[in-house]
Every structure is written in C-alpha cells, then in structure tokens.
Amino acid sequence: MEILSHLALGFETALSLNNLLYCLIGVFLGTAIGVLPGLGPVATIAMLLPATFSLPPIASLIMLSGIYYGAQYGGSTTAILVNLPGESSSVVTAIDGYQMARQGRAGKALATAALGSFFAGTVATFLLAMFAPPLAELALKFGPAEYFSLMVLGLVASVVLAHGSLLRAIGMIIVGLLLGLIGTDVNSGTPRYTFDVPQLADGINFVVVAMGMFGLGEIISNLDNEETRSMLSMKVGSLMPNKDDFKRMVAPVLRGTVLGSALGILPGGGAMLSSFAAYSIEKKVSKNSAQFGKGAIEGVAAPESANNAGAQTSFIPMLTLGIPSNPVMALMIGAMIIQGIQPGPAVMTEQPTLFWGIIASMWIGNFFLVVLNLPMIGLWVRMIMVPYHFLFPGILVFCAIGVFSLNNSEFDVFLMAGFGLAGYICAKLKMEAAPMMLAFIIGPMMEEYLRRSLLLSRSDPLVFLQRPISATMLVMSALALAVVLLPSLRQKREEAFVE
C-alpha cells in the first residue's frame, strides 16, 4: 500500500537523532507549560517561535507540534492535583479528577489521563495519516473562489464556536482582518494603513501580535488574578488502575476518541470543544452518571481522550488545506510561512518528507509523553508550587528578546507591549483574542483569493455562487450564522458572558 511507503518515509525522518531530540524537547516543554496554570500552548508557541527560526523546517514544526499536544497532557496534572487547570481544555478534567485526588486516588486519575490521552493520540494520528492524503488531493482541485469561501467558513465557525457575546466575537474578527491589511499592497505597491510609519511598510509580524495578545496579555491577567495553590497533603499513591477501573475506562476513552477526532477537524474546534462535549455526552450515557462531580473515573477518561484526539486531528485542515482550525494552528501556519513553506495541499506532494515526518513524530511524541508524565510526577508537582510572580520576569525578558531578534527592531518590542495591553483589556472585557488571531492570519490570504477570483471572472461577484463547492461553503456559513442568531442561542451566549 502507498500509505505504508509514506509512513516509512515519515518514520525515517522522525527517527533521525536531531528530530527525535526536538520532538522530546517539544513534548517536555509542552508538558511543563501545561502544568503551569496561566500559560498555555498558544502563549508558549508564540514565545518560542523566534527560537525556531534558525532550526530546519522539519525540526521546527516537530518541536512546535510537540508543545501543542504535550500541553494537553500536562494540563491534566494541575487540574487533578490542585484543581487549577493548566490549560483550557483541562477545565472539565478538574471536576472529577480533583475529587478522585481528594479521595486518595490521585495516582489512578493521573494514570487514567495519561493512558486515555496516549490511546486517543495514537488513534487520531492514524486517522490523520489516512484522511489527510485524499483531502489534500481534493483540495488540489480548489480554485481561488473555493479557497475564499473556505476561509469565510472558517471565520464564521470561529465566531459561532467562540464563547460569550456574538457581537464581540464578530468585532474581534473585523479587528483581525483590518490589522492584516496593514502594509504594502501586493498588486499596486502602495503602502496602506501605515500612517507614514516606515516600520509598518511590511505589515505587522504575526509573532508580535501573538506574543502580545497571548503572551504578555496572559502574564498581566495572571498577575491580576494570581491564584493561591493548595496542594493535597496526601501522596499521589499507586498509579496503576485496578481491573474495575479499566472496565469503566474503556467505553469513555473510545467515545472520547471518536468525538474528539471529529470535532478537532472543525474550524474553531480542537481540544477545548472536544473535552467539554465528551464530558457532557459521557454524563448522559454513563451507567455511573450519579457519580459525576464526585470522583467518577469516566469524568477523567472521556475529556482527556477527547482533548488529545482533537489536538491531533486539528492538524488535518492545517496540513491539507492551509486553513487553521484554532489559534495554535494559525501560529503553525505562520511558522511554515516564515520557514518559506506555503501552507496548503501542495505541501504533501512537494515536501513529503516534512508532511509525513510531522505525522510520524506524533506517534513518537505520544510515546514520549507517557514515559515523561508518569515517572516524573514528582517534578511536575514541585513546578506547580513555584509562585507565578517568580516566573513572569523571565517570561517577559524572553518575549522581549524573541521579538527584538525578528528584525533587530525596538519598534517591534514596543508594538508587542501595545498588543499585550490590548490582550489584557480584551481579557477583562471577556473578548476572546482567538478569533482576531485567526482573522489576522487568514485575512491577507482571503484578500488574495478574492482578488484572483474577481480577476478570473472579470469582476463578476456571482462566481462564488456559480461554483458548486464554493456555493456550498457559503451556504453553510450563512446557515451557521442564522442558527447562532436564534434568540434562544443568543440568550445562552449572553448568559455565559455575564457569568
């Protein structure tokens, strides 16, 4: 089979000494960042992007990928031991995981999270290997009109799946699109929206925006709300679940894997949506639903499997279509562009070593994570206890050095500080930065495909409706907006925003 030869190429690439080392570094950093409440994979990848510019493209993307799915593992440790999720997708895990820890079953909860995540990650990576090639082959038939409509669908989905006020989510999308327009017009060579500032002639570097909004913004928010962490006094205890625990884990892990794999592909989906959906469904179908919230092992197994599966399959639209399904994938696309790689279906045919090397590294990374997570629980526990006000000065210095190294420009550092303040204000106003970041990355590509479509159709806007695939995606976008505008759904979003 052709897939076997592709996987053989991938493993040959991923198992080279350099790539193995960077995979290990990535999953270790991801786990460590997941353990530390307040930071997440988006902020971490944003901060580490400048450090990867000098690396070979394959090593760079393998390391960044490891950080992402490693954070899904690490976030469960603090959720279970301290009731403080280290990552947003681990919020649900804290409900039953912390209760298990209080009952003296912390070791079993941690083992359940690790084993469920390993199984889900392995299966989801297999699905990625199976479905990515045919999807990439289909995407090669896309024209400019289809790509434009696909990007519209992605932005609409990010609005629909965002939390809180619909108006605020749309506002953040518009801000992101406007920021993406800053710079020199590719067709005319005329500067636009630069306000005669020479440093803006090439546009705003996405690393500056990401570091400011997610890195500095998160730091300021965490200092404003620094939590008091109360560690459990009892020891973690035995890590091995018993026979009854395994019986109760199997079905939730399978359901979580299937659900997470499906939701991870959706624009705006990924790990967080997968974990919440898996917990809700498990609570309804489980025979032990009365125990949920009181230490049910199913309440740990299902969301942990779902969030890791969702993290893996979110690579499918990024690698095959060049469309980010969440903020982390937006940063990954930015990393590919900086490395001189044009995201999209051509990556699989033009750079098969890169494409299949990343996929193979996910299996290796998942194995590393099991090896790292369980024996090193003691280290992660000690990391949890480090006060945040000791960590943030080093993070600030790292951010400043990283941004300055992009263009050796002080202007970029000040610009990052401005976006950091904006990120903090957005957090206080409960305005999600993720839709803005997606729009900022996608915006310039949307404009390019819009112009190409209109040029090819001689300025006929109906071209987007005359092509079946393009029309289908636009109809889906309209239906998604219509559904979310229903009074009952709008009311639920507003209530969640107020809370």
Side-chain angles (χ1 to χ4, degrees), residues 156-168:
V156 169
S158 71
V159 170
V160 171
L161 296 172
H163 300 286
S165 167
L166 179 64
L167 184 62
R168 284 172 169 78

Side-chain angles (χ1 to χ4, degrees), residues 36 39 219 222-223 226 229 382-397:
L36 294 173
L39 290 175
I219 290 169
N222 292 333
L223 288 173
E226 188 166 2
R229 305 174 196 175
R382 283 192 289 274
M383 285 184 62
I384 295 170
M385 300 307 295
V386 177
Y388 192 74
H389 57 265
F390 289 149
L391 293 173
F392 89 88
I395 298 173
L396 279 175
V397 171

Side-chain angles (χ1 to χ4, degrees), residues 133-143 147 320-321 344-349:
L135 190 58
E137 192 173 331
L138 173 65
L140 286 170
K141 300 176 182 177
F142 278 26
Y147 269 112
T320 58
L321 303 175
V347 171
M348 191 182 73
T349 54

Side-chain angles (χ1 to χ4, degrees), residues 147 318-323 332-334 336-337 341-347 445 449:
Y147 269 112
M318 190 275 287
L319 287 173
T320 58
L321 303 175
I323 301 297
M332 293 289 288
I333 281 181
M336 291 175 74
I337 293 171
I341 302 165
Q342 182 59 42
V347 171
M445 292 190 286
Y449 287 121

Side-chain angles (χ1 to χ4, degrees), residues 27-43:
V27 296
F28 180 84
L29 287 175
T31 304
I33 292 303
V35 164
L36 294 173
L39 290 175
V42 180

Side-chain angles (χ1 to χ4, degrees), residues 39 57 77 87 116 122 140 158 170 204-205 207 224 240 285 311 314 330 365 412 440 494 499:
L39 290 175
T77 302
E87 215 278 312
T122 302
L140 286 170
S158 71
I170 294 174
I204 301 174
N205 193 303
V207 177
D224 193 31
M240 186 55 65
V285 303
S314 63
D412 286 344
F440 179 72
E494 294 296 336
E499 292 170 5

